[in-house]
């Protein structure tokens, strides 16, 4: 008999990408727009998993590009639902670059995205409160 699959927390999503030449600028580092697209995708997945609804991006806030991500590095994108409103979810997203040969990892980019849950008619829909929150 196959053991049950251990499910990841439904407030979190993780993605892995490798930085190939078509992801980079003339300096050989990850395009900011590509980084933002990866972050938005992870925020979408985390918010969708949490709410079990269709979601859309309402806003991106305070995205800080701390360190460049180089061609050939592995990028782990980690998105976590950190706050929930009536129909909105705030998702914190981090990009962590990893050198595949040494295993060294560095937080390179961090940002916050506001996602809105929608009902079947495309209107904002209520989202359950985060477990353990005071709401």
């Amino acid at each position: 008999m196959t053991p049950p699959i251990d499910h990841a927390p439904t407030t979190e999503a993780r993605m892995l990408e490798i930085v190939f030449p078509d992801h980079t600028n003339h300096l050989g580092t990850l395009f900011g727009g590509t980084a933002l697209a990866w972050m938005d995708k992870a925020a979408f997945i985390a918010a969708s998993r949490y709410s079990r609804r269709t979601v859309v991006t309402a806003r991106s806030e305070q995205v800080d590009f701390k360190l460049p991500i180089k061609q050939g590095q592995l990028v782990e994108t980690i998105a976590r639902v950190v706050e929930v409103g009536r129909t909105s979810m705030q998702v914190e997203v981090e990009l962590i670059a990893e050198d595949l040969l040494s295993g060294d990892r560095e937080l390179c980019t961090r940002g916050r995205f506001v996602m809105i849950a929608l009902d079947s008619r495309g209107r904002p829909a209520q989202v359950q409160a985060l477990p353990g929150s005071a709401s």
Side-chain angles (χ1 to χ4, degrees):
M1 185 169 201
T2 306
I5 295 174
D6 183 25
H7 294 282
T10 57
T11 57
E12 182 177 281
R14 291 175 180 250
M15 299 181 347
L16 293 172
E17 296 279 353
I18 191 86
V19 180
F20 288 114
D22 63 326
H23 299 132
T24 65
N25 59 27
H26 64 291
L27 300 173
T29 61
L30 184 64
F31 275 119
T34 302
L36 288 170
W38 291 351
M39 294 172 79
D40 187 38
K41 185 177 182 179
F44 165 82
I45 293 168
S48 296
R49 288 179 82 195
Y50 177 76
S51 67
R52 297 297 176 192
R53 291 192 172 273
T54 298
V55 301
V56 293
T57 306
R59 180 172 62 243
S60 62
E61 300 177 340
Q62 192 66 38
V63 176
D64 296 315
F65 295 90
K66 299 171 185 293
L67 297 170
I69 300 172
K70 301 177 187 91
Q71 180 181 319
Q73 287 187 307
L74 181 71
V75 177
E76 183 172 17
T77 307
I78 304 169
R80 292 180 187 92
V81 176
V82 294
E83 282 183 50
V84 173
R86 192 178 69 74
T87 63
S88 67
M89 292 155 282
Q90 294 216 13
V91 183
E92 189 171 283
V93 185
E94 297 175 334
L95 293 184
I96 298 169
E98 179 178 328
D99 182 290
L100 286 173
L101 300 180
S102 70
D104 291 341
R105 292 169 54 90
E106 292 183 296
L107 173 64
C108 295
T109 307
R110 174 181 281 151
R112 192 173 276 231
F113 291 74
V114 177
M115 312 302 284
I116 304 295
L118 302 177
D119 64 17
S120 61
R121 300 177 84 187
R123 290 185 278 195
Q126 191 161 348
V127 178
Q128 67 182 359
L130 274 172
S133 70
S135 334

